[in-house]
Amino acid sequence: MASNGNGSLANGASTRGKPIKCKAAVAWGPGEPLAMEEVEVAPPGRLEVRVKLLFTSICHTDLSFLKGENELQRKFPRILGHEAAGVVESVGEGVEDLAAGDHVVPIFNGECGACAYCESGKTNLCGTYRVDPFKSTMASDGGTRFSVVDGSGERRPVYHFLNTSTFAEYTVLDTACAVKVHPKAPLDKMCLLSCGISTGVGAAWNTANISTGSTVAVFGLGAVGLAVAEGARLRGAARIIGVDINSEKFTKEMGVTDFIDSKACGKPVHEAIREMTDGGVDYSFECTGINDVLREAFLSTHDGWGLTVVLGIHATPKMMPLHPMELFDGRRITGCVFGDFKGKSQLPDIVDKCMNGELNLNFDGFITHKMPFSDINKAFQLLEEGKSLRCVLHF
């Protein structure tokens, strides 16, 4: 199926209600390179949409799952990927908020809009469609919408990933996990709202609620960490200290004002930060998924009011590297999912503000590489080697 110049589908009516065969990068097992396969994508079920993806990008979470770092979450064969943008090809029964031709961004943390969680202003989780790393099937019937012929000639199901599965030319999403965006918004940039930018910027704006003049430390300057810095910059933070083992990631373009190379620091990082900030920062953000780094982030905040926001994906079954009594000095710690944004109800407004110039998010600063989808394994290699922030793949 082709798309016309503005990304809308040229012949969606001819495929509505029928299976579609397309290319997908299938993960057959932990640690194995993705295999480009022809998969069959079933029509959308009730409250589902089928989307022609135009762009997808790669996140460290994809890399972690591909490597099989958490044995409890292994499920293969599987189509990974959770950052993307595309156009609705068809909709299933009961879908009222989306139609064929709509431009959408998939989100791994869905929003049905009707459950007690969605109606609460205290959480961005959804009772049914919240992020669930153990989930590998669709919510409506517990089945998959992907299938592939394996080496023995047998057709077998291919499992879903994080409500999205974007490493394919077509995917099927719960309508709760598809956000309609401005039709003229550049989809190669909008795909970053599926995870990295929304998570980091939202952590700064919603979870921490950074105020003008605050001091901030960001541990791990990948895409999420730099998105935190970008969010802090936009909120007027006075000082944004970046901490990483790769000095090449220090970029003032993204708001980082100071840099600490944790390998060359010569003392515990939290001690260096306390010296730099007269007792510690107001907010710290842990974006690495490493327990020792989480402890340094916690200790780098000021006693009495410091807040640490956990964004890194930590291995199971490791526990928090803190003693409960350490919380009695006034420091606080909290987790954050998808930047505490309610995706379907709040992201469209973010996009509209970017389009009308009211909000100047530096999307271009995150995109270090652009490649065809067929080069996806090369893109994974660049990410693992620390040579890319976001590699945007075009179909």
Side-chain angles (χ1 to χ4, degrees):
M1 178 182 296
S3 63
N4 62 27
N6 65 4
S8 61
L9 298 180
N11 60 340
S14 66
T15 56
R16 189 175 302 124
K18 303 174 185 177
I20 291 177
K21 291 184 178 180
C22 70
K23 291 293 184 182
V26 177
W28 286 98
E32 297 181 18
L34 297 177
M36 202 62 67
E37 307 277 8
E38 181 181 78
V39 300
E40 186 171 282
V41 185
R46 177 171 172 75
L47 298 180
E48 297 172 3
V49 296
R50 187 163 59 185
V51 176
K52 164 65 176 174
L53 296 172
L54 301 178
F55 301 95
T56 189
S57 51
I58 299 173
C59 171
H60 265 285
T61 301
D62 301 309
L63 179 61
S64 174
F65 272 79
L66 181 60
K67 293 167 69 174
E69 291 179 353
N70 190 328
E71 293 186 10
L72 298 178
Q73 297 169 359
R74 292 180 180 180
K75 189 82 169 181
F76 298 98
R78 204 168 194 178
I79 295 176
L80 304 179
H82 63 285
E83 283 192 344
V87 183
V88 174
E89 174 268 340
S90 61
V91 304
E93 178 189 352
V95 176
E96 298 179 351
D97 62 329
L98 293 170
D102 285 343
H103 290 200
V104 293
V105 169
I107 53 173
F108 61 83
N109 192 53
E111 180 188 357
C112 75
C115 69
Y117 293 89
C118 288
E119 292 178 347
S120 170
K122 297 180 180 180
T123 182
N124 70 332
L125 298 179
C126 174
T128 301
Y129 301 103
R130 69 176 66 186
V131 60
D132 180 357
F134 300 101
K135 180 182 174 185
S136 58
T137 57
M138 299 301 292
S140 64
D141 61 4
T144 71
R145 301 294 175 264
F146 303 110
S147 62
V148 67
V149 176
D150 64 17
S152 67
E154 179 183 353
R155 181 165 291 281
R156 58 186 293 187
V158 179
Y159 294 103
H160 295 257
F161 175 70
L162 293 184
N163 293 327
T164 49
S165 290
T166 65
F167 292 163
E169 293 176 317
Y170 286 85
T171 193
V172 175
L173 309 168
D174 298 299
T175 185
C177 298
V179 178
K180 183 179 178 180
V181 297
H182 194 293
K184 293 185 178 180
L187 293 181
D188 59 335
K189 299 177 183 179
M190 293 303 102
C191 71
L192 302 186
L193 292 175
S194 287
C195 177
I197 289 183
S198 297
T199 298
V201 170
W205 292 358
N206 303 322
T207 313
N209 192 20
I210 290 174
S211 56
T212 300
S214 300
T215 53
V216 174
V218 182
F219 288 74
L221 297 182
V224 171
L226 288 174
V228 170
E230 174 75 351
R233 178 188 71 81
L234 291 167
R235 277 292 180 91
R239 199 167 188 181
I240 304 170
I241 303 168
V243 182
D244 204 285
I245 60 175
N246 184 353
S247 60
E248 293 182 3
K249 292 184 177 181
F250 176 35
T251 168
K252 292 187 176 181
E253 176 190 3
M254 309 300 289
V256 180
T257 60
D258 302 85
F259 179 77
I260 296 176
D261 183 335
S262 55
K263 281 191 171 181
C265 186
K267 62 178 69 174
V269 171
H270 76 270
E271 292 183 6
I273 290 177
R274 288 183 184 181
E275 292 172 2
M276 295 168 65
T277 57
D278 192 24
V281 291
D282 301 312
Y283 307 99
S284 72
F285 297 83
E286 185 278 311
C287 309
T288 68
I290 301 171
N291 256 20
D292 290 344
V293 176
L294 174 55
R295 178 159 183 80
E296 287 297 305
F298 177 75
L299 295 175
S300 73
T301 61
H302 205 292
D303 66 323
W305 63 78
L307 173 66
T308 298
V309 179
V310 182
L311 294 163
I313 305 299
H314 288 254
T316 302
K318 290 188 177 180
M319 306 299 286
M320 292 275 288
L322 309 173
H323 191 284
M325 295 303 295
E326 291 183 288
L327 298 172
F328 279 60
D329 65 4
R331 294 185 176 94
R332 295 170 296 138
I333 187 168
T334 188
C336 171
V337 173
F338 197 56
D340 281 328
F341 278 120
K342 288 181 179 286
K344 284 189 69 94
S345 56
Q346 293 182 320
L347 283 192
D349 183 58
I350 297 293
V351 175
D352 289 345
K353 288 180 177 178
C354 290
M355 292 299 291
N356 65 27
E358 185 178 346
L359 178 62
N360 185 26
L361 272 173
N362 183 12
F363 288 93
D364 290 330
F366 293 89
I367 301 173
T368 54
H369 298 78
K370 294 182 179 181
M371 296 180 181
F373 179 57
S374 57
D375 285 343
I376 189 168
N377 284 313
K378 181 178 179 181
F380 265 101
Q381 183 179 352
L382 289 170
L383 181 66
E384 187 167 20
E385 293 174 352
K387 296 179 180 178
S388 75
L389 288 174
R390 280 299 185 267
C391 178
V392 175
L393 304 170
H394 55 86
F395 292 93

